[in-house]
Amino acid sequence: MRRRVVVTGIGLCTPLGNGREETWQNLIAGKSGIGPITHFDCSQFATKFAGEVRDLDPASFIDRREAKHLDPFVHFAIFAADEAILHAKLIIRKDPTDGQSFAYDADRVGVYIGAGLGGVAHIESQHSVLTGKGPSRMSPYFVPQIIVNIAPGLVSIRTGAKGPNMSMVSACSSGAHAIGEAARAIERGDVDAMIAGGTEATVTGLGVGGFNAMRALSVRNDDPQGASRPFDLNRDGFVMGEGSGILILEEREQARARGATLLAELAGYGASSDAFHMTSPPPDGEGAQRCMRAALKDAQSSGVRPQDVGYINAHGTSTRQGDIAETLAVKAVFGEHARHLAVSSTKSMTGHLLGAAGGVEAAFAILAMLRGIIPPTINLTTPDPECDLDYVPNQARKADLRAVLSNSFGFGGTNASVLFCRAE
């Protein structure tokens, strides 16, 4: 019999706030976390705004000497993981002789944290050192600073979790894949608990310049807060963001036995490939269709039917092709029920957090179900006729939700969907 997986903790670090509650309150208020770029001189760039994490002092939660050697994507992951662990009241038994009740053995707890690009800021800075001062002046920390798996590695060291420890690197699906694969590890019995999600810090010259070169970003510099406008006819590209979203996943019966608060059950997970194009989805969202169908099929064992899904946190990046393809995919998968679904893109407020998006947006979907409030799609003033679902325009909405879905799709044609239901 397949072991069931529940969510017991959530940690967030986003352009909307440093922490779960600050982020959530700004999200349901429909506030934008987008503003002028402050991380670097962007005067020569076509896009001059992004969703930045603000006022986060790494030295307040990491040793000051260690913090200065770590890239921001690691700062974000550690902050969010700390909050999620505290939220879950998760205790890991570091010493086998420790008799703490309700503590997990260290080798039964793992860490899966994904990212799309890793330490881009340090790639930039150390390349400048290399070309300006020579290789002998490069930092000995350079390689650990940039590798994606240093984020779960350091969370593992910090917590003492000795189970499987790795990064899923699948572009904008990284965080969602990390959560889904972490759930699979629990279901198989490999582990009893997982720290899982995504992190990213690519609001840098290389990051913004690269996406500008693709003409993928909005250039609405006169209105940064109105630039991310998923499903709106006048959208002109996505907005970059940064941050981290981490969940604590546990085997359901052990979580119950230790008295944990069960926030949700991770009932379904789907993954697929478009096998179509390097950066563009199939026009009908065929790969996304298969991904959502796989998550729905997986959720049947938890008693969840397609008509039980009341809300989808859409991938919804504010690109013309992507928004239309996802709309068509939702309609193909849910049929008539699609007309009764609430679908919103929280990227309208956070920007696109790339590898962190799946972790952050899974958390948003869970919180929407827990608190009975669906976050809006802001800046939706002129609906695109080809995007004709209920996108919860501009204002949050109360709703009684039994099951929710979060979609993440990435370059390379990679797709992930995670489905959560109430933890009965």
Side-chain angles (χ1 to χ4, degrees):
M1 183 176 179
R2 188 173 93 172
R3 304 197 327 161
R4 293 171 74 168
V5 179
V6 293
V7 180
T8 58
I10 295 172
L12 290 169
C13 176
T14 77
L16 291 173
N18 299 326
R20 181 180 59 256
E21 292 306 320
E22 183 183 10
T23 292
W24 175 252
Q25 292 304 320
N26 285 328
L27 187 79
I28 61 171
K31 293 186 178 179
S32 173
I34 312 302
I37 291 171
T38 64
H39 290 347
F40 65 95
D41 179 4
C42 61
S43 57
Q44 296 184 44
F45 288 72
T47 296
K48 298 175 172 56
F49 54 90
E52 295 180 336
V53 170
R54 299 176 180 86
D55 304 321
L56 184 71
D57 178 13
S60 68
F61 56 94
I62 307 172
D63 177 80
R64 186 177 298 275
R65 288 171 298 180
E66 182 182 11
K68 72 178 184 179
H69 295 305
L70 301 177
D71 193 85
F73 88 102
V74 181
H75 297 159
F76 302 156
I78 290 174
F79 179 92
D82 282 357
E83 183 181 44
I85 290 166
L86 184 64
H87 190 206
K89 299 182 176 62
L90 183 73
I91 300 173
I92 300 172
R93 186 182 290 111
K94 298 181 182 180
D95 182 347
T97 64
D98 186 345
Q100 287 189 83
S101 60
F102 304 118
Y104 284 106
D105 289 339
D107 60 358
R108 301 291 296 172
V109 182
V111 188
Y112 286 180
I113 299 176
L117 293 170
V120 179
H122 279 88
I123 292 174
E124 291 182 12
S125 65
Q126 288 302 298
H127 182 262
S128 295
V129 171
L130 173 65
T131 56
K133 300 179 180 179
S136 64
R137 300 295 297 276
M138 289 182 65
S139 169
Y141 294 95
F142 173 61
V143 173
Q145 284 168 338
I146 68 168
I147 56 176
V148 171
N149 72 297
I150 203 67
L154 290 178
V155 170
S156 171
I157 293 167
R158 188 178 180 87
T159 61
K162 294 183 177 180
N165 167 0
M166 67 186 79
S167 291
M168 280 61 194
V169 182
S170 52
C172 306
S173 300
S174 299
H177 277 135
I179 291 168
E181 295 301 326
R184 289 284 189 259
I186 295 173
E187 290 169 0
R188 290 192 303 264
D190 297 347
V191 289
D192 298 320
M194 292 292 292
I195 302 163
T199 189
E200 199 80 271
T202 55
V203 182
T204 70
L206 275 176
V208 175
F211 282 115
N212 268 160
M214 294 177 66
R215 298 185 179 179
L217 298 182
S218 170
V219 291
R220 200 183 291 261
N221 293 304
D222 60 340
D223 182 21
Q225 294 193 341
S228 184
R229 42 198 321 112
F231 311 112
D232 189 88
L233 184 63
N234 297 313
R235 63 193 183 279
D236 70 329
F238 76 86
V239 176
M240 291 185 69
E242 62 183 4
S244 179
I246 303 292
L247 304 183
I248 305 301
L249 307 179
E250 300 183 51
E251 192 276 324
R252 186 180 66 169
E253 299 312 313
Q254 293 190 67
R256 280 177 168 170
R258 75 173 186 88
T261 299
L262 311 187
L263 307 178
E265 179 176 348
L266 203 171
Y269 166 53
S272 72
S273 176
D274 292 341
F276 176 75
H277 186 271
M278 187 184 300
T279 58
S280 298
D284 60 354
E286 186 272 339
Q289 291 180 40
R290 286 184 285 107
C291 188
M292 287 186 277
R293 286 194 175 104
L296 289 165
K297 182 178 179 181
D298 195 34
Q300 288 176 358
S301 62
S302 297
V304 179
R305 304 164 300 169
Q307 59 266 38
D308 294 325
V309 177
Y311 169 58
I312 298 176
N313 187 293
H315 183 60
T317 58
S318 189
T319 61
R320 176 166 176 78
Q321 289 175 299
D323 291 358
I324 293 172
E326 187 171 11
T327 297
L328 293 172
V330 169
K331 291 197 290 187
V333 170
F334 287 94
E336 180 58 31
H337 181 59
R339 301 296 175 186
H340 305 286
L341 274 168
V343 180
S344 73
S345 173
T346 49
K347 289 182 179 73
S348 59
M349 293 170 276
T350 64
H352 189 353
L353 275 61
L354 307 182
V360 169
E361 291 162 12
F364 289 167
I366 294 165
L367 290 169
M369 180 170 61
L370 267 177
R371 302 183 179 186
I373 305 175
I374 299 172
T377 304
I378 68 168
N379 302 320
L380 184 47
T381 56
T382 309
D384 184 337
E386 294 187 72
C387 298
D388 55 352
L389 296 175
D390 176 5
Y391 302 112
V392 194
N394 302 309
Q395 290 189 323
R397 179 188 304 165
K398 291 183 179 180
D400 182 20
L401 300 169
R402 181 172 185 267
V404 295
L405 184 72
S406 180
N407 284 333
S408 297
F409 312 134
F411 285 177
T414 181
N415 307 305
S417 296
V418 283
L419 191 155
F420 302 92
C421 67
R422 291 178 184 174
E424 302 295 349

